[in-house]
Amino acid sequence: MAVSRSGPHRGGGPGSAGPVAPDRGPRTRGWSGNLRDYALEVRGSVRVGERGPLLVIAGLIVIWCVFQGLDDKFLSPRNLSNLGVGIVGTGLVAVGIVFVLLIREIDLSVGSVSGLAGASFAVLNVNHGMPEWLAVVVAVAVGMAVGAFHGFFFASLGVPAFVVTLAGLLIWNGLTLYLLGASGTINIDEEGLVASLTSRHFEDDAAAYTVAALGTAGYFLAARRKHARHLAAGMPHRPTGDIWLRTGLLAGIAFAAAYTLNRFQGLPLALLIFLVVLVVSDYVLRRTRYGRRVYALGGGVEAARRAGIGVARVRVAMFMVSGTLAAFGGLFVASELTSASPTTARAAGSGMLLINAIAAAVIGGTSLFGGRGSPWSVLLGVLVIQSIASGMGLLGVEDAVQFMITGGVLLAAVAADALSRRGEARRDRP
């Protein structure tokens, strides 16, 4: 499920098929049709300091090898299955962060919004007897309304997003504490709808293998369709051998993951929902006109406005997406803990959820400078974050050390992004 380098990672016009990288001489003339030239292309990208999924994957492999060497339980089917469930809550919040980062903004309120959604659900369902499905709808609607509130103050009144969402962080966190009352915690039904989001598994082996097969086939068909379209239009395209190679690697990873999950309890429902959200989000950003407008806005506000893009509407919509996914993620965190509480480090509403969500987006490859990134980058980033937390937990390392290591990884990712931008600026100078 690696992110394709041919995707929209740089700004482009609203009428284009996707953002196009600036001309940099012979290295960007396109794919010549064989794997040798493709290897030279990848090597050139690494030399000039461009970030990509390969570096994150390499780092993830190193992390897994280190923790496996320190504790042979790390790569056990049980721990990897728990890891797959554990990434979902933070991952959903991080996907919303990606939408905001793509337009060169930040949303500091997502942790508090997730906590508010969890508290709203618990109060309505447990304290007032509202049916679970309706309480879930209301909780998600609360997140969407909060996002619209932030977007209005930012896009219409001109208040900086940093200030608006920082104020929101305090407001919604205070409202969450008020709703939860003196106890600070409301336990939810362990057999209910929300609790089943993270506890239910598809134990039939065919479920995991079917998802792996569908994912691989979907990638291959999409890549072939893009190849044929670019070839017919005379545009640069990947060689056929590269498509088969990537498909083979994806199939190997997908079926190995399915085999591992089936050795424990099968495919987790939470992981399946997360993958569906990634697919839908990626489709919206890559394949729709609205997605191209988002990347165009990230490439430059004035250029996007002159191209006829409704800047204010896009900005408000991005904050609404962020708020909605934050609420959705908060429900998954509450499901995993079977309670609504912002008082623990793992809970929705805690500062660590915000930090981990931003770190997951940035570590995965989404730029803090806008216009470059993909929802699939969240999968890699949150795997790095959660792998560190899982490994440290198995080793009994205290939270303070985990925070320092996570902060160091985040700093390295941001520094790499800044260096990449600086290198691009130098190469683009006449």
Side-chain angles (χ1 to χ4, degrees), residues 342-399:
T343 57
T344 64
R346 294 175 57 220
S350 67
M352 281 309 301
L353 180 60
L354 167 65
I355 294 172
N356 286 340
I358 295 177
V362 175
I363 291 171
T366 300
S367 175
L368 284 172
F369 303 98
R372 181 167 62 188
S374 164
W376 285 108
S377 65
V378 170
L379 180 60
L380 294 174
V382 76
L383 276 173
V384 170
I385 295 296
Q386 195 64 28
S387 295
I388 294 174
S390 177
M392 292 292 184
L394 287 176
L395 297 175
V397 179
E398 59 184 10
D399 289 343

